[in-house]
Amino acid sequence: MMITDIRPDSRSRLFLGKLRSAFFGRTLDVVLHSCDGAFLEYAGRCAAYLENLPPELLSQLKRCSLRYCEDMRDYFDPGHPDVPEGVGEEDVLRYARANCLIIERPKDSGVIAFGVEFSCDWEKEHGMEWTVRDGRALYVGDFMGISPWYADSVYATECRSYVYEDFSL
């Protein structure tokens, strides 16, 4: 099992675990909405998917993260920018740190769906979130706890997501 140290959260009905992520080069917290055997098997598949994101999906997530970063550039201190000019898609994650993998109860256990919470240099207060379902990026933007199980139309109309090319602050 990729997710270890699973225990109940003392402040909620959630469970917390750890994922040693080779992809991100650090240990991530994992928030689990259940702890039964079938859910833990599902959570393990989600963690494995995150560790082996398909190249085209990873490229899209990086591109959307970069758009988010560049959109925040107007708020940087001009004398001490949080992210240097010229950062590209391949470098943007140097300025973001994955902290937490969030796995909700699936509406369909055959579909991989999860969120990832990040700290990032360009938005220190709100961080960043990736929401992925069924091999698709649904949301990239400030962390708001976006469920991967919303109707598709919600991401395009209500979530302020950098996945959509027409979105900008």
Side-chain angles (χ1 to χ4, degrees):
M1 177 76 168
M2 295 180 75
I3 302 170
T4 61
D5 302 327
I6 299 169
R7 65 196 181 291
D9 179 33
S10 61
R11 298 172 296 191
S12 70
R13 293 187 297 179
L14 301 172
F15 295 84
L16 305 175
K18 298 287 183 186
L19 169 64
R20 176 68 191 118
S21 174
F23 177 74
F24 289 112
R26 61 186 296 153
T27 298
L28 307 182
D29 291 326
V30 182
V31 174
L32 303 161
H33 283 238
S34 180
C35 190
D36 66 53
F39 181 82
L40 290 179
E41 186 274 329
Y42 173 78
R45 288 188 290 129
C46 290
Y49 189 88
L50 176 62
E51 285 294 288
N52 298 286
L53 287 170
E56 57 280 350
L57 175 59
L58 178 58
S59 179
Q60 180 186 21
L61 290 165
K62 287 179 178 181
R63 186 171 53 256
C64 294
S65 299
L66 181 60
R67 285 186 56 232
Y68 176 31
C69 173
E70 291 301 321
D71 215 20
M72 298 303 292
R73 194 166 290 284
D74 288 343
Y75 304 100
F76 292 178
D77 176 349
H80 298 90
D82 298 308
V83 179
E85 291 282 341
V87 168
E89 187 178 306
E90 289 307 312
D91 299 324
V92 70
L93 292 184
R94 290 184 189 170
Y95 303 93
R97 288 150 306 288
N99 297 318
C100 185
L101 171 62
I102 304 162
I103 305 170
E104 296 181 12
R105 263 185 216 283
K107 289 187 176 181
D108 177 347
S109 62
V111 175
I112 298 297
F114 56 85
V116 182
E117 181 266 333
F118 292 81
S119 299
C120 58
D121 293 348
W122 61 85
E123 196 4 316
K124 290 179 174 68
E125 185 176 344
H126 299 108
M128 180 172 66
E129 179 175 4
W130 289 352
T131 303
V132 172
R133 182 182 69 223
D134 202 20
R136 296 180 310 144
L138 301 171
Y139 175 81
V140 173
D142 59 317
F143 183 81
M144 297 192 320
I146 303 294
S147 174
W149 298 107
Y150 293 154
D152 285 352
S153 62
V154 171
Y155 303 103
T157 60
E158 298 177 34
C159 291
R160 301 180 3 229
S161 177
Y162 285 92
V163 169
Y164 300 94
E165 295 298 324
D166 60 345
F167 176 72
S168 183
L169 288 178

